[in-house]
């Protein structure tokens, strides 16, 4: 009643699987107030998480709200196959986060990485497996057990980037984290171990939301399990995908996020090859905007069409309520 008095047009949730929001959403529906979910999770999935997400939503009953907005058809398929939501309640609108990126691409507002830098987009031990841990579905970021996480892979990828920075003091090197805390500590420990107890002056360990800027500023990108692979490939940056240690094991295949991107990347099959690839590609001309057709197709599959303004699409959709 209070919401009606305040003339609230609709109520929004950020995730389709928040159980507390489901109860609120049903209550709003009964009061005649539209309940809309702007589902931001699960942009990319792997074989295992695809199945587990279907099972998760099967246990959640039926969606009682007005609409669920998802970013791609993969998430729509999961919601439909689980029976959680009917097709007429799902709207696909690409990632609004990528609009600034797409605008720069469409307007050719990008440089050819004149500063010649290298950026590693870091990951945690749980990359690809964060949704599961055996049958307990425990979320975690760090582990000491290689059977549970990417322990050796994390160490060897970061150590090779640190080694490259130490041996190439004239090249700017970035290691980009999503957040700091224990993540920063783990990366710093590896860098100091490799580089004689200190962080090279040309190496920066950074966190925050400036990922797109780093892609524009870099010539070579090292990444795993991230849409960064698609963004960088679309811009014509050299993208290296390391596939060795735990990630190279046959048993990891079903956990591999964005496996489709392999054919559009430069693959490093061991840590020495990673170092050599970085060295070679830093001296190789860029491919050019949109030349990586395989990664361009995947970008539009998971993040939306380049010609779309997703923010405008979302605003116009919400205005309908």
């Amino acid at each position: 009643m209070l919401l009606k008095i305040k003339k609230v047009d609709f109520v929004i949730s950020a995730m389709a699987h928040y159980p507390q929001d489901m109860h609120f959403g049903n209550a709003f529906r009964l009061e005649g107030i539209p309940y809309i979910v702007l589902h931001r999770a699960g942009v990319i999935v792997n074989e295992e998480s695809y199945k587990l997400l279907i099972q998760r939503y099967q246990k959640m009953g039926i969606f009682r709200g007005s609409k669920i907005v998802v970013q791609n058809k993969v998430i729509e398929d999961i919601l439909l196959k689980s029976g959680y939501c009917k097709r007429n309640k799902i709207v696909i609108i690409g990632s609004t986060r990528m609009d600034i990126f797409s605008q720069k691409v469409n307007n050719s507002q990008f440089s050819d990485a004149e500063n010649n830098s290298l950026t590693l987009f870091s990951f945690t031990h749980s990359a690809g497996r964060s949704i599961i841990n055996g049958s307990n579905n425990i979320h975690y970021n760090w582990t000491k057990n290689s059977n549970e996480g990417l322990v050796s892979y994390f160490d060897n990828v970061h150590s090779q980037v640190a080694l490259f920075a130490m041996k190439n003091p004239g090249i700017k090197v970035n290691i980009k984290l999503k957040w700091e805390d224990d993540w920063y500590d783990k990366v710093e420990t590896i860098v100091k171990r490799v580089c004689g107890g200190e962080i090279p002056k040309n190496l920066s360990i950074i966190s925050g939301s400036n990922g797109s800027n780093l892609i524009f500023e870099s010539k070579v990108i090292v990444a795993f399990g991230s849409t960064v692979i698609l963004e960088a490939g679309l811009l014509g940056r050299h993208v290296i995908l390391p596939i060795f240690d735990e990630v190279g094991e046959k048993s990891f295949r079903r956990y591999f996020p964005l496996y489709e991107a392999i054919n559009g990347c430069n693959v490093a099959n061991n840590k020495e090859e990673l170092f050599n690839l970085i060295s070679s590609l830093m001296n190789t001309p860029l491919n050019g905007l949109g030349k990586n057709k395989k990664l361009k197709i995947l970008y539009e599959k998971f993040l939306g069409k380049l010609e779309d303004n997703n923010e405008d699409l979302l605003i116009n959709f919400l205005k309908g309520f």
Side-chain angles (χ1 to χ4, degrees):
M1 181 62 70
L2 177 61
L3 292 178
K4 285 186 176 180
I5 294 173
K6 294 292 186 181
K7 296 183 179 180
V8 173
D9 295 317
F10 50 82
V11 177
I12 293 177
S13 171
M15 298 290 180
H17 55 262
Y18 285 171
Q20 68 276 16
D21 286 10
M22 289 179 62
H23 297 302
F24 286 128
N26 192 40
F28 296 138
R29 178 184 65 86
L30 294 174
E31 289 293 325
I33 299 172
Y35 170 61
I36 304 168
V37 176
L38 304 182
H39 189 67
R40 301 293 87 187
V43 175
I44 55 175
V45 296
N46 52 50
E47 291 179 11
E48 194 69 13
S49 63
Y50 184 87
K51 293 185 294 184
L52 289 170
L53 284 170
I54 291 175
Q55 294 172 12
R56 169 193 279 179
Y57 287 109
Q58 284 174 337
K59 298 175 182 178
M60 295 182 65
I62 303 296
F63 176 66
R64 303 293 182 184
S66 301
K67 296 285 184 178
I68 298 180
V69 180
V70 299
Q71 297 187 45
N72 56 51
K73 196 176 185 303
V74 176
I75 306 305
E76 179 191 45
D77 289 344
I78 289 171
L79 297 177
L80 291 175
K81 288 181 179 180
S82 68
Y84 177 69
C85 189
K86 294 182 179 180
R87 190 180 299 275
N88 63 1
K89 289 195 172 187
I90 302 176
V91 177
I92 300 177
I93 297 177
S95 173
T96 56
R97 182 180 66 85
M98 303 312 303
D99 278 353
I100 294 178
F101 179 86
S102 299
Q103 289 165 11
K104 287 184 178 180
V105 171
N106 288 330
N107 296 327
S108 297
Q109 295 175 356
F110 69 102
S111 67
D112 285 333
E114 295 178 357
N115 58 356
N116 224 31
S117 61
L118 160 70
T119 298
L120 163 62
F121 282 82
S122 187
F123 47 86
T124 68
H125 291 165
S126 66
R129 304 197 221 194
S130 60
I131 194 171
I132 70 159
N133 183 359
S135 60
N136 297 320
N137 196 26
I138 298 172
H139 290 246
Y140 61 95
N141 288 310
W142 311 106
T143 178
K144 295 181 180 179
N145 187 346
S146 288
N147 293 321
E148 294 179 349
L150 310 181
V151 180
S152 297
Y153 181 74
F154 178 86
D155 189 286
N156 285 325
V157 169
H158 287 77
S159 65
Q160 292 305 301
V161 170
L163 182 63
F164 178 85
M166 183 178 68
K167 291 191 174 185
N168 296 272
I171 296 178
K172 175 65 177 172
V173 177
N174 306 298
I175 299 180
K176 169 65 169 62
L177 321 178
K178 287 186 177 180
W179 65 84
E180 293 190 1
D181 300 327
D182 50 355
W183 197 334
Y184 183 96
D185 296 338
K186 290 183 180 298
V187 172
E188 181 185 46
T189 298
I190 293 173
V191 171
K192 287 185 175 180
R193 186 191 74 216
V194 171
C195 301
E198 60 182 25
I199 299 177
K201 292 181 179 180
N202 62 319
L203 189 153
S204 299
I205 305 173
I206 54 181
S207 63
S209 57
N210 61 340
S212 294
N213 288 336
L214 286 173
I215 295 174
F216 279 98
E217 295 167 3
S218 299
K219 186 173 187 179
V220 176
I221 300 291
V222 180
F224 171 73
S226 169
T227 57
V228 163
I229 293 172
L230 310 181
E231 299 161 41
L234 183 66
L235 274 183
R237 284 9 185 185
H238 297 303
V239 184
I240 300 177
L241 178 57
I243 303 180
F244 49 80
D245 294 333
E246 297 94 346
V247 170
E249 295 173 2
K250 186 177 181 180
S251 59
F252 188 78
R253 172 63 180 83
R254 69 183 191 274
Y255 302 113
F256 204 120
L258 210 55
Y259 187 79
E260 299 163 274
I262 287 179
N263 292 329
C265 298
N266 299 279
V267 174
N269 294 298
N270 54 59
K271 64 181 185 180
E272 292 81 14
E273 191 170 310
L274 173 58
F275 183 93
N276 292 334
L277 257 180
I278 293 172
S279 302
S280 173
L281 292 174
M282 288 300 299
N283 292 291
T284 302
L286 291 173
N287 300 321
L289 175 66
K291 295 295 181 64
N292 194 324
K293 302 299 183 184
K294 293 178 181 178
L295 294 187
K296 180 180 179 181
I297 290 171
L298 289 177
Y299 178 98
E300 296 195 329
K301 173 182 177 179
F302 290 107
L303 297 170
K305 298 291 184 181
L306 281 172
E307 62 269 21
D308 289 344
N309 187 316
N310 295 313
E311 185 173 315
D312 284 349
L313 291 174
L314 180 59
I315 289 173
N316 290 332
F317 164 74
L318 293 174
K319 283 181 177 179
F321 292 87

